[in-house]
Structures are given as structure tokens and as C-alpha cells.
Amino acid sequence: MQSVWTVPSTAVASGCSRLPMPKVVRSKPTASIDAGVGVGADVFWVALIGGSVAAATAGRRLASGRLTVPGQVRGTVVAVRATETDAGNALVKEKSEKADAIQKAAAELTEATYPFMQEVPWNSDEFCLTPGKHDPILWTKAVGKIIGMGADMDAELVKAGCHAHHVACTNLPPNGVCSEAQLTNIYAAIGHMIASVPESQTMEVYDSVSALVRPDVPTYLMSKVTEENARTAYDALIKFTEVVKANPITPSPPTTAVSSSAASCINQAANELGKAAYPFMQGVDWTDDLWAKPVPGRSAQEVLRVVSKMIMMGTKMDSAALQEAARAHVKAIEGIDAKGVLTQSDFEAILAGLGKVISSVPESTVMGVYNDMNRITGSSVPPFIFSKQNPVEAIAAYSALMKFKDTVKAFQPSPIEVAAVKLAKETYPFMQEVPWNSFEFLQTPGAANPIAWTDAIGQIIDMGASMDAEIVKAACEAHHAAIVDLPENGVCSEAQLAEIYATIGRMIASVPESKTMQVYYYVSALVDKKVPEYLMSKVTEKNARAAYDALLDFTRVVKRNPITPSRPTTSVSASADSKISAAASKLAEAAYPFMKGVDWTDSLWAKAPPGKDAQEVLKAVDKMIVMGTEMDGAALQEAARAHVRAIRGKDSKGVLAQKDLKAILAGLGKAISSVPESTVMDVYDEMSKLAGESTGIPEYIYSKQNPVDALAAYGALMEFKDTVRAYQPDAIGAAAAKLSNASYSFMQQVPWNSFEFLLPPGKADPIGWTQALGKMIDMGASMDGELVKAGCLAHHNAIVNLPSSSVCSQAQLTEIYAAIGRMIASVPESQTMGVYESVKALVDPKVPEYLMAKVTEADAKAAYDALIEFTEVVKANPIKPSNATTVVSSSDASAISAAASELGKAAYPFMKGVDWTDDLWAKAPPGRSAQEVLKAVDKMIVMGSDMDWAALQEAARAHAKAIESMDAKGVLTQGDFNAILAGLGKAISSVPETSVMDVYTEMNTLAGTITGIPNYIYSKQNPADAMAAYGALLQFKDTVKAAQPKQDRKLFVDVVAEWQLDPAVAGLIVFLAVTLPSVLVPVH
């Protein structure tokens, strides 16, 4: 019997050894405390796999393993958790009755076995040895059976078993024997777990382990104890197994708390790690007897303490993810080859399961296991393993592991989140008893003293203004999610309550404790002393006490985990700030007499809205919450702090100083300007229902004011509203702000200056890419002209003074997103998808994967999810493009069209002679950086934004038509060539010469004579054709120039003649200068 007890602890090493252990890749092992998924070197994989699998199965293995005797039982886990259905309640009752029977049998078993347990030499090193043949492969397969049994157990019962073991391990006496009560709890937990799996699984575990144990081991172990005590214990154990068999428990399927986005990111990261680490894993000798040896120089109790840490980590892990990881191990072990090597797909599945499991517990918990494992094995085992591996493969595995760690870490809960889940569980019975719909919660819980309550609210606002803005928004979203579809009793789900608690905890953690206490002191001083006693009478005292105790525990966790608030950046432009501030000053001056006339000490301000219930009020509050989440964080902080200063400076009647009123109005105006009008109107409409004309409140207030002052204030308010409204975003603008907020971290990681972004992301197929560009040009030509120009300006503003990182500000990024969104909204979805499909077909499938390797996967995923949400907003808000009218006169248009026909005839032979399939067109400008190229593109963008939109559309559509009709060599028809020249001529005729020259100068820098590009092209052409084209181009230039807005500066072709450039050089520059804008500008 005792020999079987040692199997799980011995077999764990061999079972866990199926995965690679990328140990020391540095000269000195280190333990970084900022790596939530363990970190480099040493025993990461022992902590990772041992911590998750052992913790998950320790209770299962150690538990079920201890009962593997002939005629014995079935095992694993059962959650005695109530459901709200009749069937669920019946199941719970059944489980409870069976659990009680097993609990009683466990107490009897303890009484019979405790003398025997006290005789066993638990501290002997012999229990860390393999009780049979040193065959890692066979032991691994046995462990696979144990893990499989554990994976099928009821998850909550497994956690209860782990907890019982952990309690017994804590403060274990020197002899290694826990108390009788603790032993009873362990027996009961093991019995419950085994009762939740089929007996056949228990017997499979027994058979696989017993086949490996040497026959003389039981005899040897029996010699260490009194035979009578051993016999009594054995007989009692057999009786216990019969009780367990007679009381089977149906396991409940666990639900996961791992989000779909987290699962997706971790799965992808696991695949990457699996590919990178598989060569290393294959190189490990899994048949080495190292895996069957005890940890050198460590006592049984030292090892047990580490196991206890793993067990506790397992109890905190997501049960569904733990089952996934366990079953992935089982499948992998079944498929190992003769050397113990897993298949790559099984390896990746294990990594994915482990990643999700680890993502469900706080970093501190994982690091606790890691640090203990490091103390146990850090000095000798890792160097030995590393010495036997290929260093290149080990380093590659380690590097990939660090990326995987970062992905998992991004989804790990903070200690505050974990404490919030616990608080929600403890307080939910209390919360369900509270009569939330009572009108009493709308009343003032003390003296109706508006001035004193205003002071208290000032403290609350000050605390809120000091919090991290993003955390505040997250809390608002958590409250909103709970309010939506709130049941009639006003109580949200336990999961929603946990999320609310977590966000509140994080908010409080982001401000100094002194601010929290100030709020407490101010509010508690105003609450009537009888109120708590009265409210307690509405609930069960036991539930209230449990909730209060849990709240105290939660506050301690919050205090131990302070958060440094980040400083929000504003998306409110400088011009909006200036105009709104000026309008606020004007409104403050006009409205101040009215504001002074209001009786701020009136008891009205302490009364509930007449005739409105709690849920109606909550609905209005929810609209305010939603508006708050969408507001600019910096503007909201400005408005909040203005309120705080004003409240502190008010007089005894509650009247603010005029300068403080002005500051409040300015802050509110900027905050309101950052959200769509529809959002503000949602709040207005709900507030009208609560306190509008039908309630009599406005009429009552107005009756007590000076009508002249009231009308003056109203008139100024309307002007102020118009100023603010001019800067409010539309729905797409608001969605753009949200997208930039979610994607900015990702954008900052992208190596925008890399030359790789100047290369084609697939096969160098000029014809294929030209056809894709044709789709883009056609889409751009169908867009609203003014929106395209706004998009160009947004890009130009971001490019000017771009920092060395090539990342614009978040506010500029928001403007770009908004402009792109509006442009796309102005064309049919079919055109957008046509562009997408044409480009997708040309991009190498490996490119996205390669680019993902350059950034943090979690940030990329967050950006992608936000982008998808943004596209839905764009689709939901289509914009009808306006019809463009041209400023090009009919006479100029006629002259340019005629000149284009002449140029087309003369230049067509030259154009046909160009090799449009040359890979030159897919190459980056030689020796030019990304920022140099971007500077030239910016000049094109500026020129495009100045062009006549109707002419630009004509040129763009001529390009699109020509591309559709070009032959296999990329040659256009002469008719299409003529149409392109006519469109370009009209477009160029609509902009000043200086704009064209700016493009020419930049393009000359990028692709002029010094680069060798023009001479290369000219060398491949017929000189006579080139000269004919050049001569006709000069005549075409004169026609276009005659129609241009008049300036003193010479047109670029005049400069060409003065500089005596080769015609081919001039022709190339003209070609690039006038055609690229028509390609690039509409697309932007």
C-alpha cells in the first residue's frame, strides 16, 4: 500500500519532463520578478509545467494515488455548487447527501489509520525515489493516466482537495504528520474527487502504476511500521472505498473566465513558441535517469513546501483551462515516440493550455512558485541540462519563451482582480438581500445640508480627478455593462459585481490613501448614526458580517498594490481649446447674475426626483456614465479640478466666484466637445424624463429667479453650445478616438523607419500590383472630395515635424483614423472589399506572421479588435458623397484635352517601349530612408489636396479604366493614355506652380540623375521616341501652364530647359511627379 503512495511524487518528474527545460542561457541564473510567467534560466519549465500540472493534479494524483489498492474506487472532483434550476438544485442536493456520507466515512478512516500514519517515516529520502524500474517513458505513461483521471474530476472538488492538502502542509510538524482533523479533510476531499470519475479510470491508474512497482517494495515498507496498525488501516481503507463507490458524484462542467481574445492571442503565441522550441525539445534525452532522481540536497519537507505552493496556484487557476492543459498532456503522452518525444502539434497544444491556465492567476502567484522552484533546483540541475543541449536551439527556445511569457503576462489578473472575485463571492448573498429598488436609496442619509454635502462631493470629485483616467473609464464601462439588462431586483450577476469591485479597487489604488480617507471622513460626518443600524435591519446579519470582513480583506489588498496613475493626453485641438475657453468666459459673464440668484441652500437639491423609481434614475445615470467613458480624459480632469477649486472657494451660500464658474464652463465645454452630439442628447433626453417640464422642477426654479438674468444666461448658453458643437466629433470621429487609444501602443512598437516597408510584401509582380492599385484609385475616385482632402491634410499635419520614431501623436493618429473612416464611409462596401481582396491575393502569407514578430502580440491583438469595432461603426454610418464641381474653365479644359491628344500621339511609341514588367518598379529608391521617401509623399499629398477635385476624379478614373484595359505587358491603349494625360493636365492646371515645383524638387532628390534611375531607363529606350515625347511634353506644358493660377515663379519644365536636363530625365520626373499624386492622394 505504501509503495503506491510514493508513485505520484516520483512520477511527476518523469511526466513533466516531456516538455523542454530551456534553462541557463546566461552565465549566471537570475530570477526576474517582473516576469509573470516565470522568466529565463533555471527552473522556468519546472515552475511552468510542474506548477500547473502538479498543482492541478497534485490533489488528484496524490489523492487518488493514495487510494490505488485492490478493489478500490473511482476518483476526482465535484463542485457542490448550486444552480438556479430545479434540476440543478436536485443535483446539488444529491451531491450534498453523497458528500456527507463520504465525509462521515473519512472521519472513521482517520480514526483507524492515524496510529499507522504516525509510524510512517515521512521525512525519509526513500519516498523521493522511484519504487521500481527506472523507465521514464513507462512512468510518463502512468502519469498520463493519473492526469487524465484528474482532468475528468469535478473541478471544484479538485480545488477543495488541493486546499485541504495545502492547509495540512502549512505549519506541518517535524514528523510530517498533519492533525487528525486535517487528515479527515484530506480523506474526504480525495473521496469526493474519486467519486466523481468512473471506477474504470481509477483502476487504469492502479494497473499502470502497480505494473511498475517492484514486488518487494510493499514488503520493505511494511517493515517500517507495526503490522497490526497497517492491517487496521488497510481494512478501514477498503471500507472507505466501498462508501465512495456507493456514492458516485456527477461532475459539473467548468466554465472558463479566460476571454476569447486572451485565448486567441495565447494560442497563436503557443504555436510560435512550439515551432521555435521544438528542435530543442527533440534534443532533450527524455530517457535520462535524471528525471527519476530526487532533488539533490533537499529534504522531503523542503520539497513538500514547494509542492504546496503549486497546489495553491492550482486552486486559483481557471478550471476549464486547467482541464484543457491536462487533456493536452494526456493526448501528447499517448502519442510520444520510443524516446519520449511529443509531436509538434501536441507540444503546441500543451503550451496553449498552460498559457491560458497561467494567464488566469496573478503574476505574484506564479513568481511564488518560480522562486521556490529556483531555490530547490536552481544551482545544479539547469546547468547540467543545458550542458547536454545544442546552445543555438536552447537560445532560440528561450527567446521564443520570453515572447510567449509577455503574451501570457498581458492577460494575467492583478492581485486586486483576484481579491475582487473573492469579495464578490463573499458579498453576493448580502447584495441579493439589499432592497435596491427602495426609494430610500434616493434620499439623503442625514441632515439636508446642501452646502456640507457639496463640500463632501468636492472631496469625491478631487479623488476622482487624481485617479488614472483609463482605469476610471474601465470602471464606468463595468458599471454600464452591469446596468444594461439589469434584472428587476436591481442585482447584477456575480461576475459583473466582481468586475465592478476590481475596477473600483484599481481606481482607489491609483490615488494616495489620504484622499480616500478624506472622502470617508467628510461623508461619514454627514451620515446619520442611525442609518447603518436601520439598513442592517433589512438584511441577514450573518451575510452582512461576511461581506464586511471580506471588504476589509479587499481594502488591504488594494492598499498593498498601489498604481501610479498615468497622465492623460488630450485630443482637444488647440483651436478648440481657445475658442471654447473664450466662449466659456463670455457665458460666465452673462450667466453669473443668474447663478448668484439661485438659492443653493434650498432643500430641493437634497430631494429625489418626484415620481421616479430607482431604476429610472439609474437609467439616466447610466447615460451619464457612457458619456463619461467617451470623453477626453484630460478635459474631464480639467473640468473636475475646476469644480474642486470652485467648491473650495464658494461662499457660505454656496455661490462660486465668477472666475471659477468660467473655469468650470471651459472644462465642461472641452469635455463635451470630445463626444458626439448624439451621446450628449442621450443624457439630455433621460434627464428631461427625470427633471423636465413634466416634473415641475424647471418651472419651480425659474419662478424664483430674475427673468432678465435667466434669459441672458439662456441666450449666452445657446452661443456657448454652438461653439462646443462645432468641435464635436461624429460617430466615426468618436470611434477613431477609441481606436487610437487602443492601438497607439502597437503603433509605437512598429519599426516604421525600416526599409522593409518600402519593399513589396509579396511577389514582385508589377502587373498584379498595378491592377490592385487600379482598385485603390477607383475607390479613391468614388470618395467624397472634401473628405479626401481632409484625409490628406490629416496625414500632412502628422508628417510635419514627425519625430525620429516616425510615430505621430495620438491626437494626430485619431484625426487620421477619423478621416480614413469618413472616406471609406463615403464609398460602397463592395469597393472597399474589392481593394482588400486584390491586395490580399498579392501579399505573401508569411508577411503578417513576420510583422507580428516585431511587436507585442497582446498589443497587436488589442489594436486588431479595436479596428474591427471601428469598421463596424464606419459601416453603420455611411456618408453620401457630394458631386464635385470643377473650377477648370471649359475653354481651358478643351485646350488641355486637345494638347493631351497631341502629346498622346507623339509619346505613345515611347510609352510602349518602356518595360513595365521590369522589377525596377518594385524596388525602393536607392540610398533613401523611409523618412526621406515620406517627405516626398507629403509634397504629393499637399499638391493633391489643392487640386480641383472634379479634375482629379477625371484623372483617377482614367487611370482605373486604363489599368483595366492594359495588356499583359502593362501597356495602355492610346485612347486611355490620352485620357490620363488630359485628366492630369486639368488637375495640374488647378494648382499653383509652386506646389508642382515642391513635388518636382523632392522627386528629383529621390529619383533624379544622381540616383542613376533616369539614365538606366533612358538607356533602354529608342532615343528618337524619347525626343519626340519630350518635344510634345513641352508643348503640353505650355498649354497647362497657361491655365494655372498666375505666379511669378517658373514652371518646372522651364527649369528643366534651363538646367539642360536630358529629355528622358525630365520625362521620368514629370511622369512620377504628375502620376503618383493621382495614385496616392485618393487612397489616403
Side-chain angles (χ1 to χ4, degrees):
M1 178 176 68
Q2 184 57 54
S3 63
V4 180
W5 290 9
T6 66
V7 170
S9 60
T10 314
V12 170
S14 58
C16 294
S17 68
R18 295 293 67 82
L19 288 179
M21 301 175 69
K23 304 296 181 187
V24 183
V25 296
R26 295 171 286 189
S27 59
K28 181 180 180 180
T30 59
S32 170
I33 60 173
D34 80 331
V37 187
V39 288
D42 305 327
V43 292
F44 171 82
W45 279 104
V46 175
L48 181 69
I49 297 164
S52 55
V53 177
T57 61
R60 308 168 186 170
R61 294 184 292 96
L62 298 173
S64 46
R66 291 189 178 189
L67 293 179
T68 49
V69 293
Q72 164 181 339
V73 303
R74 326 161 49 252
T76 108
V77 291
V78 159
V80 186
R81 177 182 292 175
T83 67
E84 295 180 357
T85 64
D86 290 341
N89 289 331
L91 180 60
V92 168
K93 182 179 179 182
E94 175 195 7
K95 287 182 179 180
S96 180
E97 291 173 349
K98 293 175 178 179
D100 288 345
I102 293 172
Q103 183 75 34
K104 182 179 178 182
E108 294 174 356
L109 177 60
T110 297
E111 184 178 359
T113 61
Y114 202 66
F116 163 79
M117 297 292 281
Q118 289 178 305
E119 290 181 336
V120 176
W122 296 109
N123 292 322
S124 172
D125 290 340
E126 293 172 333
F127 288 106
C128 294
L129 300 175
T130 305
K133 183 179 179 182
H134 291 304
D135 187 337
I137 305 303
L138 291 179
W139 279 109
T140 297
K141 291 182 177 179
V143 170
K145 297 291 186 182
I146 297 169
I147 294 173
M149 178 179 171
D152 289 340
M153 291 176 173
D154 183 278
E156 291 303 316
L157 292 182
V158 171
K159 289 188 176 183
C162 290
H163 184 72
H165 278 82
H166 170 70
V167 170
C169 290
T170 303
N171 298 320
L172 200 65
N175 66 356
V177 181
C178 62
S179 69
E180 287 188 60
Q182 291 169 334
L183 185 60
T184 297
N185 287 336
I186 289 174
Y187 284 157
I190 291 172
H192 296 152
M193 290 192 293
I194 293 174
S196 68
V197 291
E199 182 179 356
S200 58
Q201 277 189 287
T202 306
M203 294 312 299
E204 281 183 11
V205 170
Y206 170 77
D207 292 338
S208 62
V209 172
S210 62
L212 296 172
V213 176
R214 285 170 47 187
D216 58 343
V217 170
T219 303
Y220 172 75
L221 292 175
M222 279 293 290
S223 68
K224 303 285 186 176
V225 296
T226 304
E227 185 174 355
E228 180 182 356
N229 287 341
R231 175 56 61 187
T232 301
Y234 180 78
D235 292 342
L237 179 60
I238 296 302
K239 181 180 178 182
F240 179 70
T241 63
E242 294 304 322
V243 174
V244 172
K245 288 173 63 176
N247 291 278
I249 298 174
T250 303
S252 302
T255 57
T256 187
V258 178
S259 68
S260 58
S261 61
S264 176
C265 280
I266 292 170
N267 284 341
Q268 188 169 345
N271 290 341
E272 294 301 316
L273 174 57
K275 291 174 186 175
Y278 193 65
F280 171 82
M281 195 273 292
Q282 286 178 301
V284 175
D285 181 6
W286 300 110
T287 63
D288 195 312
D289 62 0
L290 169 72
W291 316 117
K293 292 179 178 179
V295 181
R298 303 298 177 182
S299 68
Q301 292 230 7
E302 285 178 299
V303 174
L304 189 61
R305 278 195 291 270
V306 178
V307 171
S308 180
K309 278 281 183 70
M310 298 180 191
I311 289 173
M312 274 311 293
M313 183 168 73
T315 64
K316 297 175 181 178
M317 286 176 164
D318 182 85
S319 297
L322 205 52
Q323 279 192 343
E324 177 187 338
R327 285 170 177 153
H329 277 82
V330 173
K331 180 177 179 296
I333 289 170
E334 289 175 351
I336 59 177
D337 63 19
K339 294 183 178 181
V341 178
L342 317 176
T343 67
Q344 185 171 329
S345 60
D346 286 338
F347 181 41
E348 291 172 7
I350 286 175
L351 295 172
L354 289 175
K356 293 170 200 171
V357 164
I358 294 172
S359 77
S360 68
V361 293
E363 174 187 355
S364 58
T365 303
V366 181
M367 288 308 301
V369 172
Y370 170 80
N371 291 333
D372 278 357
M373 287 300 300
N374 192 42
R375 282 190 287 271
I376 289 288
T377 65
S379 61
S380 57
V381 177
F384 170 76
I385 297 173
F386 184 70
S387 68
K388 302 179 73 174
Q389 308 309 314
N390 180 324
V392 175
E393 293 175 351
I395 291 172
Y398 179 80
S399 298
L401 177 63
M402 292 302 96
K403 290 184 180 180
F404 180 69
K405 175 265 295 183
D406 289 338
T407 299
V408 174
K409 183 178 178 180
F411 296 103
Q412 284 185 295
S414 67
I416 292 175
E417 288 175 306
V418 175
V421 172
K422 183 178 179 182
L423 177 60
K425 183 177 182 181
E426 294 296 326
T427 62
Y428 202 64
F430 164 79
M431 297 295 280
Q432 289 178 305
E433 290 181 338
V434 176
W436 294 108
N437 290 324
S438 172
F439 74 94
E440 293 173 334
F441 287 103
L442 300 177
Q443 295 182 330
T444 306
N449 184 344
I451 303 302
W453 279 106
T454 299
D455 289 333
I457 289 173
Q459 295 295 325
I460 297 171
I461 295 173
D462 182 45
M463 180 179 173
S466 301
M467 290 173 172
D468 183 278
E470 291 306 311
I471 296 177
V472 171
K473 289 188 177 184
C476 289
E477 289 170 353
H479 279 82
H480 169 65
I483 293 172
V484 174
D485 298 324
L486 196 67
E488 292 182 0
N489 65 356
V491 181
C492 63
S493 71
E494 186 177 325
Q496 290 170 330
L497 184 63
E499 187 60 28
I500 289 174
Y501 285 157
T503 54
I504 290 174
R506 288 196 292 270
M507 286 194 297
I508 294 174
S510 70
V511 294
E513 184 182 355
S514 58
K515 286 189 180 290
T516 307
M517 294 313 298
Q518 278 291 97
V519 169
Y520 171 77
Y521 293 139
Y522 268 78
V523 173
S524 61
L526 294 171
V527 175
D528 190 295
K529 306 303 180 186
K530 297 179 181 178
V531 169
E533 181 183 338
Y534 173 74
L535 293 177
M536 278 292 290
S537 68
K538 304 286 186 177
V539 296
T540 304
E541 185 172 355
K542 177 184 177 182
N543 288 339
R545 173 57 61 186
Y548 179 75
D549 291 341
L551 178 61
L552 292 182
D553 288 341
F554 181 69
T555 61
R556 285 188 279 270
V557 173
V558 171
K559 287 173 65 175
R560 286 197 302 268
N561 292 276
I563 297 171
T564 302
S566 57
R567 180 174 295 179
T569 56
T570 186
S571 62
V572 178
S573 67
S575 60
D577 186 303
S578 177
K579 292 289 179 62
I580 292 171
S581 294
S585 181
K586 189 175 180 181
L587 173 57
E589 184 177 354
Y592 194 65
F594 170 80
M595 194 274 293
K596 287 197 297 182
V598 175
D599 181 5
W600 298 106
T601 64
D602 195 314
S603 62
L604 170 72
W605 314 117
K607 292 180 179 177
K612 305 299 179 182
D613 62 35
Q615 293 234 3
E616 287 177 298
V617 174
L618 191 60
K619 190 174 181 181
V621 170
D622 182 47
K623 294 295 184 183
M624 298 181 201
I625 288 173
V626 170
M627 182 170 73
T629 63
E630 297 177 4
M631 283 179 164
D632 180 87
L636 205 53
Q637 279 192 342
E638 177 185 337
R641 286 172 176 150
H643 276 83
V644 174
R645 287 193 301 272
I647 290 171
R648 289 173 180 171
K650 71 185 185 307
D651 63 21
S652 59
K653 293 183 178 180
V655 178
L656 315 178
Q658 186 172 329
K659 65 175 183 178
D660 288 333
L661 176 61
K662 171 190 169 183
I664 287 174
L665 294 172
L668 289 175
K670 294 169 199 174
I672 293 171
S673 77
S674 67
V675 294
E677 179 185 357
S678 58
T679 303
V680 181
M681 290 310 298
D682 284 343
V683 173
Y684 173 81
D685 291 339
E686 287 300 328
M687 288 304 299
S688 292
K689 295 174 186 176
L690 281 186
E693 292 184 15
S694 62
T695 65
I697 295 175
E699 183 180 354
Y700 170 77
I701 296 174
Y702 184 71
S703 69
K704 301 181 73 175
Q705 309 308 314
N706 181 325
V708 175
D709 291 342
L711 288 173
Y714 181 77
L717 177 62
M718 292 301 99
E719 291 184 21
F720 180 70
K721 177 263 297 181
D722 290 337
T723 301
V724 172
R725 185 177 183 183
Y727 294 100
Q728 284 184 296
D730 55 4
I732 292 175
K738 190 173 182 180
L739 173 58
S740 64
N741 188 55
S743 66
Y744 198 64
S745 294
F746 163 78
M747 297 294 280
Q748 289 176 304
Q749 293 174 24
V750 176
W752 296 109
N753 291 324
S754 172
F755 76 94
E756 292 172 334
F757 288 104
L758 300 177
L759 301 175
K763 185 179 179 182
D765 178 6
I767 304 303
W769 281 108
T770 299
Q771 290 171 334
L773 284 172
K775 297 285 187 183
M776 297 181 199
I777 294 171
D778 184 46
M779 179 179 172
S782 302
M783 290 174 173
D784 181 275
E786 292 305 312
L787 294 180
V788 171
K789 291 187 177 184
C792 290
L793 290 175
H795 280 82
H796 169 66
N797 291 335
I799 293 171
V800 174
N801 298 321
L802 197 66
S804 58
S805 65
S806 290
V807 180
C808 62
S809 70
Q810 188 172 331
Q812 290 169 330
L813 185 61
T814 298
E815 286 301 313
I816 290 173
Y817 284 156
I820 292 174
R822 294 181 190 118
M823 287 193 293
I824 293 174
S826 70
V827 293
E829 183 181 356
S830 58
Q831 280 190 291
T832 306
M833 294 310 299
V835 170
Y836 171 78
E837 296 296 343
S838 62
V839 173
K840 179 184 176 183
L842 295 169
V843 175
D844 190 299
K846 296 179 181 177
V847 169
E849 179 183 331
Y850 173 76
L851 293 176
M852 277 292 289
K854 305 285 187 178
V855 297
T856 303
E857 188 172 350
D859 288 335
K861 182 64 177 174
Y864 178 78
D865 290 343
L867 177 61
I868 295 302
E869 185 177 340
F870 179 69
T871 63
E872 295 302 321
V873 174
V874 171
K875 286 172 63 177
N877 292 275
I879 298 172
K880 184 178 180 181
S882 57
N883 295 321
T885 56
T886 186
V887 297
V888 179
S889 68
S890 58
S891 59
D892 286 339
S894 177
I896 291 170
S897 293
S901 295
E902 293 300 319
L903 174 57
K905 292 175 187 176
Y908 193 66
F910 170 79
M911 193 274 292
K912 285 198 296 181
V914 176
D915 181 6
W916 299 107
T917 63
D918 195 316
D919 62 1
L920 170 72
W921 315 115
K923 292 180 179 178
R928 303 301 176 186
S929 68
Q931 290 229 2
E932 287 177 301
V933 174
L934 191 60
K935 189 176 180 182
V937 171
D938 182 47
K939 294 298 183 183
M940 298 180 199
I941 289 173
V942 171
M943 183 172 74
S945 66
D946 290 338
M947 283 178 165
D948 179 80
W949 179 246
L952 203 53
Q953 275 188 329
E954 178 185 335
R957 286 171 175 153
H959 275 83
K961 180 178 179 297
I963 289 171
E964 286 181 358
S965 305
M966 68 184 182
D967 63 20
K969 294 183 178 181
V971 177
L972 316 178
T973 67
Q974 184 167 340
D976 287 335
F977 184 42
N978 293 351
I980 286 175
L981 295 171
L984 289 175
K986 295 170 194 174
I988 293 172
S989 77
S990 68
V991 294
E993 176 186 349
T994 53
S995 295
V996 184
M997 287 306 301
D998 285 343
V999 173
Y1000 169 79
T1001 302
E1002 289 298 333
M1003 288 304 303
N1004 189 46
T1005 302
L1006 280 187
T1009 305
I1010 193 173
T1011 66
I1013 296 175
N1015 291 333
Y1016 168 78
I1017 297 173
Y1018 184 66
S1019 69
K1020 302 179 73 174
Q1021 308 309 315
N1022 182 323
D1025 291 341
M1027 291 302 296
Y1030 180 72
L1033 175 63
L1034 294 185
Q1035 292 181 359
F1036 180 69
K1037 172 269 299 183
D1038 290 337
T1039 302
V1040 173
K1041 183 177 180 181
Q1044 280 186 302
K1046 297 297 182 259
Q1047 288 185 324
D1048 293 334
R1049 191 173 176 180
K1050 296 174 183 176
L1051 191 60
F1052 70 98
V1053 181
D1054 293 325
V1055 177
V1056 169
E1058 289 182 5
W1059 289 356
Q1060 298 182 336
L1061 293 177
D1062 286 342
V1065 176
L1068 171 66
I1069 295 174
V1070 171
F1071 169 74
L1072 292 174
V1074 300
T1075 60
L1076 283 179
S1078 67
V1079 173
L1080 294 172
V1081 172
V1083 175
H1084 278 276

